[in-house]
Amino acid sequence: MIKHLLILIGIFISFNCNGQNIVSKTKQKSITTNPLRKKIIGIWKQKGSINADFKIDNKTFYYVDDFAYYKYSLNRDLIKIYYSDYTYEGKVSFKNDTLILSNDEREVRYYRFKE
């Protein structure tokens, strides 16, 4: 009886561990599948600015002057930044190490902040 119970516990643990690996691999794959995702991560500023404008990580834009975090999504080269009162939608592109965010209204270039 105890032998059967131990076997069942072992099987249960085995299935749980495998399930967690699948989930974490899926999350990791979705983060790394888009080559722009890795490229946009960093600290960015506009030309002529002494200080950084924002920092991008895997999930958020952090605006230095506002001390504010905003979530964003990136689908191929289209980005959405979810501000509290509206959602910015634009295209992401790069020219060398210059991040270009553009939409119907304007195009803004950001340069990687070097400390």
Side-chain angles (χ1 to χ4, degrees):
M1 177 75 168
I2 291 181
K3 186 177 182 181
H4 292 281
L5 183 60
L6 290 174
I7 291 172
L8 286 175
I9 290 172
I11 292 171
F12 178 75
I13 291 172
S14 173
F15 280 120
N16 266 350
C17 290
N18 287 338
Q20 288 175 351
N21 287 339
I22 291 169
V23 170
S24 64
K25 285 179 184 177
T26 304
K27 284 182 182 178
Q28 183 180 5
K29 185 177 179 182
S30 68
I31 289 172
T32 56
T33 353
N34 188 339
L36 285 178
R37 165 104 34 212
K38 196 171 187 178
K39 203 168 181 180
I40 67 170
I41 292 175
I43 302 171
W44 300 93
K45 69 178 191 126
Q46 288 187 0
K47 190 173 187 173
S49 178
I50 297 171
N51 298 319
D53 289 314
F54 52 83
K55 176 184 177 185
I56 304 174
D57 63 24
N58 282 328
K59 296 180 181 180
T60 60
F61 265 68
Y62 172 70
Y63 283 89
V64 177
D65 290 341
D66 299 336
F67 303 105
Y69 289 92
Y70 300 101
K71 291 187 183 259
Y72 74 94
S73 62
L74 186 64
N75 186 4
R76 296 189 183 126
D77 66 343
L78 300 175
I79 192 165
K80 289 183 181 181
I81 306 169
Y82 303 99
Y83 297 105
S84 52
D85 54 345
Y86 78 101
T87 300
Y88 169 85
E89 294 184 35
K91 183 177 176 183
V92 175
S93 59
F94 280 88
K95 184 173 182 180
N96 300 322
D97 206 18
T98 303
L99 168 64
I100 303 167
L101 298 179
S102 59
N103 61 15
D104 293 338
E105 297 174 18
R106 66 185 192 153
E107 176 182 288
V108 184
R109 293 173 182 254
Y110 296 96
Y111 302 88
R112 198 169 289 278
F113 186 78
K114 297 175 180 152
E115 297 177 39

